[in-house]
Amino acid sequence: MIRRRKECVAMLLAGGQGSRLKVLTEYTAKPAVPFGGKYRIIDFPLSNCINSGIDTVGILTQYQPLELNNYIGNGRPWGLNKNYGGAHILPPYSRNGKSEWYKGTANAIYQNIHFINMYNPEYVLILSGDHIYTMDYNKMLKFHEKKKADCTIAVLDVPLKEASRFGIMTTDEEDKIFKFEEKPKNPTSTKASMGIYIFNWEVLKEYLIADENDPKSDNDFGKNIIPNLLKDGKGLYAYEFDGYWKDVGTIDSLWEANMDLLDPSSGISLGKGNKKIYARNYAAPPTEISATSDVKNSFIAEGCTIRGKVENSIIFTGCEIEKGAHIVDSVVMPNTHIMANTDVLYSIIGENVTVGKNCVVGGEPSDYDKKDWGITVIGKDNEIEDSTVIKPKEIL
């Protein structure tokens, strides 16, 4: 059988430890962290791929991959269960008697050159597994082709005071990049890299091999591959994105992105039609919201029992909120039980947690000095005893 060449293959970097999410990623890869009541973070780039007509996705895993591997399975929920193409889990593996972890983002792609070559693509799309956004990659690909680029980098205009957190591009009037700085102390531009790249495969392959043979390299796209392309005069272009995008690599940003779902002015969307976000959701019974409950501006997933008060919060599948409990500006992840007369304020509660009666978890920002307040986090599988007080910023 003669197999046609794939125009574009996506490589999704999903192996990071996610240490800034602390207990939420202690036993879970960051892309597998629950989000938005019925999703996981990785649902966004996977859905973007199939919605953009890209049906071949390599998912590079490394840290705590078991839950992520089980979740992705054969890729069917995202339409990625293809006979030729589809979703492929790509962990580090032994080759020529040598086995090594992915040393950096560029090394991770280098180690999978053979996988990409199987599809002989013209273009390779590089994605991160820890961003919340909806994007049509096909529009970016058309821009790349129009510019006859070697590499196109998706950029987002950010406030100048935040620019030092990102890789920053400076471009000419034709969107061609002539300066790139990785997290500059004194940025001269506000075009921030979103960590989304399209490369001509033959060009990228050449630079990956050269990078791997450089013992001084960090094997990183931002630190090595992009600067080397720029230094050699390759055609690098910036594709400007003006939609909602958030890196949810910290406790605060994960909480903020969940809260953004409840704010119509935030710009975040779970999409409809060709922008829909797909997920692996298991069948659950209808949610029961009793007469004793009071639910305001909140998302309640299937399979929940709500007898308490829920305000401006995200409640995931299978949760129980007892009578007298009060949930405010919080994220309660799947299969968690909040018992009677317990207050949960400005918190993230992990999966399979039981919080006993008469507890106080977190607090209102107005009740604390700024330095003493923050989002409270309880990691998965915890059991909190009755009458426990867990202060703002505490992480269990």
Side-chain angles (χ1 to χ4, degrees), residues 111-168:
Q111 289 198 40
N112 288 284
I113 285 177
H114 176 67
F115 168 80
I116 299 171
N117 278 339
M118 285 197 308
Y119 297 100
N120 189 29
E122 188 170 355
Y123 308 109
V124 173
L125 170 66
I126 309 294
L127 303 169
S128 295
D130 53 1
H131 300 153
I132 300 296
Y133 65 110
T134 56
M135 182 177 181
D136 186 348
Y137 302 135
N138 192 46
K139 289 183 179 179
M140 183 176 171
L141 184 57
K142 288 180 179 177
F143 173 92
H144 179 87
E145 293 174 325
K146 180 180 178 181
K147 295 293 185 180
K148 296 182 170 57
D150 294 303
C151 169
T152 296
I153 302 171
V155 299
L156 190 73
D157 191 44
V158 299
L160 184 61
K161 64 181 181 180
E162 295 182 19
S164 59
R165 295 172 43 219
F166 300 93
I168 296 296

Side-chain angles (χ1 to χ4, degrees), residues 343-354:
D343 291 338
V344 177
L345 312 166
Y346 292 86
S347 298
I348 299 176
I349 313 297
E351 301 175 67
N352 307 311
V353 169
T354 298

Side-chain angles (χ1 to χ4, degrees), residues 59-216:
I59 302 159
L60 287 72
T61 62
Q62 182 159 275
Y63 173 78
Q64 294 288 2
L66 181 60
E67 187 172 358
L68 185 60
N69 293 354
N70 288 339
Y71 182 72
I72 293 169
N74 68 353
R76 183 176 180 181
W78 305 272
L80 291 169
N81 54 327
K82 307 291 183 181
N83 289 329
Y84 180 53
H88 297 261
I89 302 292
L90 301 172
Y93 62 93
S94 178
R95 57 181 65 73
N96 299 323
K98 179 183 178 183
S99 179
E100 61 182 23
W101 292 104
Y102 294 143
K103 296 182 291 185
T105 54
N107 174 259
I109 304 300
Y110 169 83
Q111 289 198 40
N112 288 284
I113 285 177
H114 176 67
F115 168 80
I116 299 171
N117 278 339
M118 285 197 308
Y119 297 100
N120 189 29
E122 188 170 355
Y123 308 109
V124 173
L125 170 66
I126 309 294
L127 303 169
S128 295
D130 53 1
H131 300 153
I132 300 296
Y133 65 110
T134 56
M135 182 177 181
D136 186 348
Y137 302 135
N138 192 46
K139 289 183 179 179
M140 183 176 171
L141 184 57
K142 288 180 179 177
F143 173 92
H144 179 87
E145 293 174 325
K146 180 180 178 181
K147 295 293 185 180
K148 296 182 170 57
D150 294 303
C151 169
T152 296
I153 302 171
V155 299
L156 190 73
D157 191 44
V158 299
L160 184 61
K161 64 181 181 180
E162 295 182 19
S164 59
R165 295 172 43 219
F166 300 93
I168 296 296
M169 318 287 159
T170 306
T171 63
D172 63 18
E173 63 278 2
E174 299 296 325
D175 300 309
K176 189 172 185 179
I177 299 166
F178 63 85
K179 184 179 180 182
F180 171 79
E181 295 177 284
E182 181 71 8
K183 298 181 179 179
K185 290 183 179 180
N186 299 299
T188 56
S189 169
T190 56
K191 292 182 179 180
S193 171
M194 298 168 62
I196 300 168
Y197 314 114
I198 292 177
F199 290 94
N200 294 345
W201 173 228
E202 292 305 319
V203 172
L204 176 58
K205 181 162 54 174
E206 174 189 342
Y207 277 76
L208 288 174
I209 293 169
D211 182 72
E212 187 65 22
N213 290 326
D214 179 2
K216 296 180 180 179

